[in-house]
Amino acid sequence: MLERRQAFQQREGGAAQVAKAYFDWLPHGIGPWIRVHQLDHDNWAFRLRGVPIDVLRLRDGGARSFEDRALFWVTGGALVARDSPATARLEFRQALDQRTVLAAIHEFKPRLPWLVYKFTQAVAHLWVMRAFGRFLAAQRGVATTAS
């Protein structure tokens, strides 16, 4: 299973605002290769351009989300292993310093073999999160770090 983190220094707002900014930014920020569709109020589907298959599906964490923690369950998609745990999630969490928001993937199991995943999907995800960090920096004068 995978654990990956990205930190954003935030001057205003909390994790919920950063998560909202992420979903607002995604359709425009990652170029023409990925399409993000909000299926309804709580569900999103990610597709490769021209491919009618969801590569990732997320569902809002609902009652498990707060201003300082925004949670999205990984509910499926072609890039998710069939035996990925139901607890796989993308989480935005505000740190105790009130200026840092962490974005993390927890308990995610990719469908791709580990070496293929490591040099493809993981690299793409890191690129997306760094691009989002640059977007936040340009919008609010913030810094980012990745691990």
Side-chain angles (χ1 to χ4, degrees):
M1 276 181 272
L2 174 74
E3 300 281 333
R4 183 173 287 283
R5 294 165 301 282
Q6 175 89 16
F8 306 105
Q9 294 294 317
Q10 180 81 357
R11 286 195 178 153
E12 58 187 56
Q17 288 181 327
V18 171
K20 181 184 180 323
Y22 180 70
F23 282 101
D24 289 346
W25 170 83
L26 271 173
H28 311 287
I30 54 180
W33 308 284
I34 300 282
R35 297 286 186 233
V36 180
H37 302 279
Q38 188 164 3
L39 304 174
D40 56 35
H41 181 70
D42 296 329
N43 293 281
W44 290 266
F46 297 72
R47 292 184 175 176
L48 296 173
R49 184 181 177 136
V51 179
I53 298 168
D54 296 345
V55 294
L56 180 68
R57 287 189 305 273
L58 298 176
R59 185 182 78 240
D60 188 293
R64 303 273 313 263
S65 293
F66 304 96
E67 183 58 31
D68 64 346
R69 178 186 189 224
L71 178 72
F72 301 91
W73 300 110
V74 177
T75 59
L79 295 176
V80 180
R82 290 194 174 117
D83 63 343
S84 190
T87 53
R89 63 203 180 274
L90 169 63
E91 182 176 9
F92 295 85
R93 186 177 285 255
Q94 190 162 355
L96 292 175
D97 69 6
Q98 300 296 309
R99 295 178 317 199
T100 303
V101 172
L102 303 172
I105 298 173
H106 300 287
E107 301 184 49
F108 174 77
K109 187 173 180 187
R111 180 171 291 184
L112 297 172
W114 180 250
L115 281 176
V116 175
Y117 167 83
K118 182 177 177 179
F119 294 108
T120 58
Q121 187 179 341
V123 172
H125 183 256
L126 183 58
W127 180 86
V128 168
M129 295 309 282
R130 285 183 174 162
F132 178 61
R134 289 189 299 273
F135 165 77
L136 285 179
Q139 294 296 308
R140 298 186 180 114
V142 296
T144 64
T145 60
S147 65

